[in-house]
Amino acid sequence: MKKDLPTVLVTGGAGFIGSAVCRHLVSTGAYRVVNLDKLTYAGNLSSLRDLDGHPNYAFYKADICDTDKVSEILAAEKVGRIMHLAAESHVDRSIDGPMAFVTTNVVGTASLLSAALAHWRSLGFAEQESFRFHHVSTDEVFGDLPFDSGVFTEESPYKPSSPYSASKAASDHFVRAWHETYGMPVVLSNCSNNYGPYHFPEKLIPLVIANALDERQLPVYGKGANVRDWLFVEDHARALEAVMTRGQVGESYNIGGRAERTNLEVVETICALLDARRPRSNGKSHLDLIAYVTDRPGHDRRYAIDPTKSERELGWRPQETFETGLGRTVDWYLENGWWWRPIREQRFDGTRQGLVGAR
Ligand code: NAD
Ligand code: DAU
């Protein structure tokens, strides 16, 4: 590793967004990146194979709840900034087993904050000034929007619905508390639904692509009318760098792609892309595979991000539209079965056993 570049500790760097952040930060040539990840079912070092052996990249297998180990890494690597993405991230899993979400997202974040505070206090004046704890959060903390009105701004009240979003909301509050109480320089971002390469195939978009390619049902919860606001993951990674480097201390920034779609629209668009790129051998459309299944309990109707503050203050704009980004994503899954097929075989078979019809 080059020792003259600022060192960014990325937690959760083996996950979907974290790996995009590691790849992006290293590609700029402006940072040393230290990836700290526990490698849960969602962590995958094969997402980072492009960085293997790179002089500006290092990996540590560690749990954010292990304050001593985290403290050692912060000191040994002379970390100058932290980007905190490590989390349990899947809403359906949080409904089935909420305590893992409390442990990692709430207790883990507080443990990481404790280690970060001690580290920050040990730094010299200039390093204290440039230090940032950037907490990466979600639009789900704001809760449920009606179908026909409203958007989330940075001033929207917190009203989480699921154990996942409640745990993320709690973590946001702890991060703000460390700033208000101890003066630690923090910045927060709340982003909408991401999609793109290396997305674990339990989430809607990669699940639907993989199931369609395997001639399996495409499960749509309820009537497919719920709305999400989609952002290509590489656009999020660029936004996160902007927040970390240009965001005002103590502030939060909403990030989103102004790309609201119903779930059914998303699934139908994927089917159309696959019909064009990989037609089925029986000559039918992939639309025939859609199956309407039991709805998610407490399913938020709609999320919609107003990204005006990020656009205005950070000069950030997405580079992909939903259509171009989804096309790239479908192409990536068509070309990279080496990445997702082993996951489906070894970790998650895509059937959602115990979820469909179980509640
Ligand atoms: P992910 O589930 O793909 O990855 C999470 C990563 O965190 C994994 O590599 C996992 O091994 C690691 N991890 C989990 N527990 C850990 C622990 N105790 N210690 C260290 N590492 C641990 O998640 P993602 O979709 O990449 O989301 C990353 C972050 O972004 C999360 O904080 C999530 O809340 C937030 N976010 C996600 C989205 C989205 O659409 N995916 C949108 C907005 C915000
Ligand atoms: O909004 C940001 C959030 O987006 C992140 O904070 C979460 O970490 C991330 O997982 C994502 O949460 P969602 O619950 O919105 O994503 P998911 O892909 O699980 O579901 C998207 C929508 O599709 C949601 O309305 C539920 C629906 N769905 C999901 C699955 C897995 C289906 O209809 N069928 C499915 O099989």
Side-chain angles (χ1 to χ4, degrees), residues 213 273-281 286 334-335 341:
L213 290 174
L273 288 164
L274 286 173
D275 287 348
R277 286 158 159 83
R278 179 74 61 89
R280 295 172 73 192
S281 54
H286 290 90
L334 283 168
E335 289 159 15
R341 286 210 174 275

Side-chain angles (χ1 to χ4, degrees), residues 15-65:
F16 166 48
I17 302 172
S19 65
V21 167
C22 291
R23 290 190 300 272
H24 170 71
L25 293 180
V26 171
S27 77
T28 67
Y31 312 95
R32 299 170 60 230
V33 174
V34 175
N35 174 7
L36 184 161
D37 197 295
K38 184 182 173 184
L39 297 182
T40 67
Y41 81 94
N44 201 336
L45 289 180
S46 67
S47 308
L48 293 154
R49 69 174 189 176
D50 294 353
L51 301 183
D52 275 350
H54 196 290
N56 292 343
Y57 172 75
F59 173 71
Y60 289 87
K61 185 174 188 302
D63 187 334
I64 54 168
C65 297

Side-chain angles (χ1 to χ4, degrees), residues 17 88-92 137-141 164-165 168 191-194 199 202-208 211 218-222 224 226-230 263-264 267 291 293-296 299-301 303 348 350 352:
I17 302 172
E88 290 291 339
S89 71
H90 191 41
V91 173
D92 292 325
S137 192
T138 169
D139 59 359
E140 298 205 14
V141 298
Y164 163 69
S165 53
K168 290 296 292 188
C191 189
S192 62
N193 283 62
N194 284 217
H199 201 181
E202 66 184 348
K203 307 281 172 75
L204 178 68
I205 287 181
L207 177 75
V208 164
N211 277 12
L218 314 181
V220 172
Y221 296 173
N226 300 60
V227 173
R228 296 293 182 265
D229 187 353
W230 294 95
N263 293 336
L264 191 56
V267 176
V293 301
T294 312
D295 207 352
R296 175 184 280 174
H299 196 174
D300 287 334
R301 284 167 294 180
Y303 304 137
F348 174 72
R352 299 182 66 252

Side-chain angles (χ1 to χ4, degrees), residues 330-344:
V330 167
D331 286 340
W332 189 87
Y333 279 86
L334 283 168
E335 289 159 15
N336 291 283
W338 68 270
W339 184 83
W340 59 267
R341 286 210 174 275
I343 293 176
R344 299 256 289 187

Side-chain angles (χ1 to χ4, degrees), residues 1 16 33 39 61 73 130-131 135 140 170 181 212 214 239 243 306 333 355:
M1 277 231 195
F16 166 48
V33 174
L39 297 182
K61 185 174 188 302
I73 296 168
S130 61
F131 185 85
H135 180 57
E140 298 205 14
T181 307
D214 283 350
V243 172
D306 176 359
Y333 279 86
L355 291 177

Side-chain angles (χ1 to χ4, degrees), residues 43-326:
N44 201 336
L45 289 180
S46 67
S47 308
L48 293 154
R49 69 174 189 176
D50 294 353
L51 301 183
D52 275 350
H54 196 290
N56 292 343
Y57 172 75
F59 173 71
Y60 289 87
K61 185 174 188 302
D63 187 334
I64 54 168
C65 297
D66 185 346
T67 313
D68 291 344
K69 177 92 186 250
V70 172
S71 300
E72 271 172 36
I73 296 168
L74 290 171
E77 292 288 352
K78 299 188 170 49
V79 168
R81 290 166 184 174
I82 297 174
M83 243 192 216
H84 175 37
L85 292 98
E88 290 291 339
S89 71
H90 191 41
V91 173
D92 292 325
R93 286 184 193 254
S94 84
I95 294 166
D96 290 349
M99 290 316 293
F101 288 70
V102 175
T103 302
T104 285
N105 300 0
V106 185
V107 179
T109 297
S111 304
L112 181 66
L113 284 163
S114 298
L117 178 63
H119 176 69
W120 176 66
R121 284 176 166 163
S122 76
L123 298 174
F125 179 76
E127 288 78 20
Q128 282 198 347
E129 288 290 298
S130 61
F131 185 85
R132 294 290 180 277
F133 185 101
H134 176 182
H135 180 57
V136 177
S137 192
T138 169
D139 59 359
E140 298 205 14
V141 298
F142 303 122
D144 181 49
L145 282 174
F147 282 121
D148 52 358
S149 63
V151 286
F152 299 136
T153 72
E154 287 78 4
E155 276 68 51
S156 295
Y158 276 42
K159 205 169 169 238
S161 306
S162 70
Y164 163 69
S165 53
S167 70
K168 290 296 292 188
S171 68
D172 290 14
H173 294 321
F174 273 102
V175 172
R176 286 199 176 86
W178 253 247
H179 174 60
E180 297 298 333
T181 307
Y182 307 114
M184 197 165 82
V186 309
V187 62
L188 296 89
S189 54
N190 295 82
C191 189
S192 62
N193 283 62
N194 284 217
Y195 67 98
Y198 304 104
H199 201 181
F200 194 87
E202 66 184 348
K203 307 281 172 75
L204 178 68
I205 287 181
L207 177 75
V208 164
I209 298 171
N211 277 12
L213 290 174
D214 283 350
E215 290 286 325
R216 286 159 61 169
Q217 283 192 345
L218 314 181
V220 172
Y221 296 173
K223 295 180 176 153
N226 300 60
V227 173
R228 296 293 182 265
D229 187 353
W230 294 95
L231 181 69
F232 191 63
V233 66
E234 292 171 16
D235 281 325
H236 189 194
R238 289 189 307 103
L240 292 178
E241 184 197 5
V243 172
M244 177 183 71
T245 53
R246 302 198 286 280
Q248 293 295 311
V249 169
E251 293 284 308
S252 70
Y253 294 85
N254 280 3
I255 304 170
R258 298 184 196 272
E260 290 181 56
R261 299 288 185 281
T262 67
N263 293 336
L264 191 56
E265 284 170 339
V266 170
V267 176
E268 287 175 346
T269 309
I270 294 169
C271 289
L273 288 164
L274 286 173
D275 287 348
R277 286 158 159 83
R278 179 74 61 89
R280 295 172 73 192
S281 54
N282 64 11
K284 293 182 177 172
S285 167
H286 290 90
L287 291 170
D288 277 14
L289 295 171
I290 291 176
Y292 295 92
V293 301
T294 312
D295 207 352
R296 175 184 280 174
H299 196 174
D300 287 334
R301 284 167 294 180
R302 174 173 164 257
Y303 304 137
I305 279 276
D306 176 359
T308 305
K309 180 178 173 183
S310 297
E311 292 168 351
R312 192 182 58 234
E313 293 188 16
L314 307 174
W316 169 84
R317 292 275 186 297
Q319 292 177 352
E320 301 289 345
T321 64
F322 183 66
E323 285 65 34
T324 60
L326 196 60

